[in-house]
Amino acid sequence: LRLISNSEIPWRSLQFKRQLLKLLKELICQKPKIMALKGNKGEWSELYAFFKLLSDGCIYCGDAYLNRYDDKFYPVLELFRDDKPDRNSYKIQSERRSIIIKGNNIDIEVPQDRFTNEAAALLALIKSKNDNTDFSYIESFMKMIDIHTVKAKSLDKADIRIVIHDLKRGSKPELGYSIKSKLGAKSSLINSNKDATNFIYRVNGISAEQMNEFNSCDNFKEKFHYLQSHDTILSYISTANNVFHNNLTLLDLGIEKIIAEALLLYYSGKSKSLSDTIKLITETDPLNIMDSTDQPMYEYKVKQFLLAFALGMTSAKPWYGQFHANGGYIIVKEDGDIICYHFFDRNDLEEYLYHNTFFDTPSTNRHNFGKIYEENGEYFLKLNLQVRFN
């Protein structure tokens, strides 16, 4: 086209033919451009789950310990990567063993076996992923099915939206699911946030000199041993962020104090897992509610706390009791198997969250906690909340 548009060179001339040959050689020698999409193992796992669900055509439920119920599953009818009005639809045609993909820029039918092969290839790449891992093979398939990002963009906690066939109820709802992967680094349930997840305690029985000695300790176990050896008393005041306080109050009037007590146990080195910590709290009964009952008061409250964070609540934005990932949780296991915990099977979901999470320590400098400070002659300490999956 460049040559033809140049009126000074007659297109039948030898000069034109030579220049055309030169351009063709340049085109042939050019290296194909690769999309070079970036993503960590967790983000690539979301795409793997998408391929795997289209390949299997169903989603299996699991127990509290990630064991699959082989006789408990839901047929998958259609998948979406977001909830935009102009999103692509990936609909499973079981009788034809194919996937019909429709959108503004695509209208094709792909054999279901192709998704089986691509899911297996992507899983192998994720397991071997390092700085030199080449995902270009998968990227070409992504382009073919009109997917141009590793992680789907989402404003809520739903990473994927699925139309399932609920055989018990006879319904076909579209539900949002959060995807967590055990193929990469331990994923978080409650992300640490500077001040938004800080809990403030008053430190009684300490001097300015002792404050400096406490702050010079190397780790939290040493710090809390120092406080114990000086008969120092910590009393909970409030969260550092009023939005987080309001969210917790909306959920349960006692949950803020329960989590505050749990953080003291964790940072003092007495427990780490959520389930073990709550067993200790049940024994001490900080809310004074266990005298006349053997009901699992603290366990139940903490399960609702974890469920709220799993499906909708955050620490920094006002929460109105709505669940955004209203379908539940999808877990990608180390072997590539996929287990789902549905919200309408919430007992299984609550048990999974309760038995598979632990407290973790974020960066003290970045999140401004872990050192005693003085205000108006009184001493205070901030402890930060972060919860991860096992």
Side-chain angles (χ1 to χ4, degrees):
L1 289 175
R2 202 165 71 203
L3 286 170
I4 292 171
S5 64
N6 189 339
S7 58
E8 296 181 359
I9 304 177
W11 68 274
R12 291 180 179 274
S13 68
L14 181 61
Q15 183 184 4
F16 177 89
K17 293 177 182 178
R18 286 174 176 171
Q19 291 199 22
L20 179 59
L21 182 60
K22 181 181 178 182
L23 282 173
L24 289 172
K25 286 181 178 179
E26 289 177 359
L27 287 171
I28 292 170
C29 293
Q30 280 184 356
K31 294 182 179 179
K33 293 182 179 179
I34 298 174
M35 294 167 66
L37 294 175
K38 301 292 183 181
N40 57 39
K41 287 190 174 186
E43 291 167 338
W44 280 107
S45 294
E46 290 184 22
L47 188 65
Y48 164 76
F50 184 77
F51 289 175
K52 177 73 169 164
L53 290 170
L54 288 171
S55 166
D56 293 348
C58 64
I59 187 165
Y60 286 89
C61 303
D63 65 15
Y65 304 99
L66 284 175
N67 298 308
R68 177 202 280 194
Y69 293 128
D70 289 328
D71 59 346
K72 189 176 180 180
F73 62 90
Y74 294 90
V76 173
L77 305 180
E78 190 172 9
L79 273 76
F80 308 95
R81 297 195 80 212
D82 55 53
D83 55 1
K84 295 178 181 177
D86 60 345
R87 62 191 176 170
N88 289 344
S89 161
Y90 298 79
K91 186 174 291 187
I92 298 175
Q93 300 295 313
S94 300
E95 66 282 358
R96 296 211 299 264
R97 287 283 304 165
S98 66
I99 311 298
I100 293 179
I101 308 171
K102 289 189 176 182
N104 289 344
N105 303 311
I106 189 170
D107 188 353
I108 63 172
E109 186 169 356
V110 180
Q112 203 165 5
D113 288 343
R114 179 69 188 274
F115 282 91
T116 303
N117 296 334
E118 299 295 340
L122 180 53
L123 178 62
L125 287 171
I126 294 170
K127 286 184 174 182
S128 66
K129 186 179 185 308
N130 55 50
D131 292 339
N132 298 318
T133 302
D134 183 5
F135 284 84
S136 57
Y137 170 77
I138 297 298
E139 291 169 7
S140 63
F141 177 66
M142 290 170 63
K143 185 176 181 180
M144 187 190 89
I145 61 175
D146 200 33
I147 292 178
H148 305 284
T149 59
V150 177
K151 181 177 176 61
K153 294 181 180 179
S154 176
L155 297 176
D156 55 34
K157 291 204 171 185
D159 298 311
I160 190 173
R161 304 194 71 83
I162 307 174
V163 177
I164 66 168
H165 189 183
D166 186 349
L167 299 174
K168 285 184 179 180
R169 299 167 180 83
S171 61
K172 300 177 181 179
E174 178 189 320
L175 302 171
Y177 292 83
S178 176
I179 300 175
K180 299 295 181 182
S181 174
K182 298 184 74 66
L183 291 170
K186 295 183 184 298
S187 55
S188 62
L189 173 60
I190 302 175
N191 291 313
S192 56
N193 187 313
K194 184 177 179 180
D195 277 344
T197 49
N198 274 332
F199 286 64
I200 304 174
Y201 304 78
R202 180 180 285 109
V203 186
N204 298 310
I206 197 170
S207 65
E209 181 181 354
Q210 290 170 331
M211 176 185 72
N212 293 329
E213 290 175 353
F214 172 91
N215 291 339
S216 66
C217 293
D218 292 332
N219 55 64
F220 278 101
K221 191 171 183 179
E222 184 181 336
K223 286 180 177 183
F224 273 82
H225 178 73
Y226 178 88
L227 293 179
Q228 187 177 10
S229 65
H230 288 79
D231 297 323
T232 302
I233 298 175
L234 293 179
S235 55
Y236 179 64
I237 302 297
S238 67
T239 58
N241 182 282
N242 196 52
V243 171
F244 191 27
H245 165 77
N246 290 341
N247 288 348
L248 294 175
T249 302
L250 176 64
L251 178 66
D252 185 285
L253 291 175
I255 193 63
E256 185 175 326
K257 187 172 182 180
I258 295 172
I259 300 304
E261 292 294 323
L263 287 177
L264 288 177
L265 291 171
Y266 164 65
Y267 280 104
S268 62
K270 295 179 181 177
S271 64
K272 186 173 183 178
S273 74
L274 267 291
S275 57
D276 289 344
T277 304
I278 300 311
K279 287 179 183 177
L280 295 176
I281 287 179
T282 301
E283 294 174 3
T284 60
D285 190 18
L287 299 183
N288 298 314
I289 56 177
M290 298 298 294
D291 289 343
S292 59
T293 182
D294 60 354
Q295 293 169 282
M297 297 289 193
Y298 292 97
E299 180 178 322
Y300 177 81
K301 289 175 182 291
V302 170
K303 285 179 179 178
Q304 305 318 300
F305 167 75
L306 297 175
L307 184 68
F309 263 97
L311 301 181
M313 181 192 286
T314 65
S315 60
K317 294 181 180 180
W319 183 60
Y320 298 94
Q322 297 175 332
F323 294 128
H324 298 297
N326 57 354
Y329 257 48
I330 291 173
I331 312 298
V332 179
K333 297 170 62 175
E334 291 94 336
D335 61 358
D337 194 18
I338 291 179
I339 297 296
C340 183
Y341 297 92
H342 296 274
F343 179 65
F344 38 74
D345 296 323
R346 62 185 291 171
N347 287 340
D348 287 330
L349 176 55
E350 289 171 5
E351 288 296 313
Y352 166 72
L353 295 172
Y354 187 68
H355 291 286
N356 289 275
T357 49
F358 65 93
F359 291 109
D360 196 17
T361 306
S363 168
T364 55
N365 291 330
R366 186 185 307 166
H367 297 93
N368 189 30
F369 77 101
K371 290 188 176 182
I372 295 176
Y373 60 97
E374 184 267 335
E375 282 185 359
N376 301 321
E378 293 187 300
Y379 297 95
F380 302 92
L381 172 67
K382 292 179 182 178
L383 297 178
N384 197 273
L385 171 66
Q386 180 170 265
V387 175
R388 290 191 181 279
F389 288 96
N390 296 339

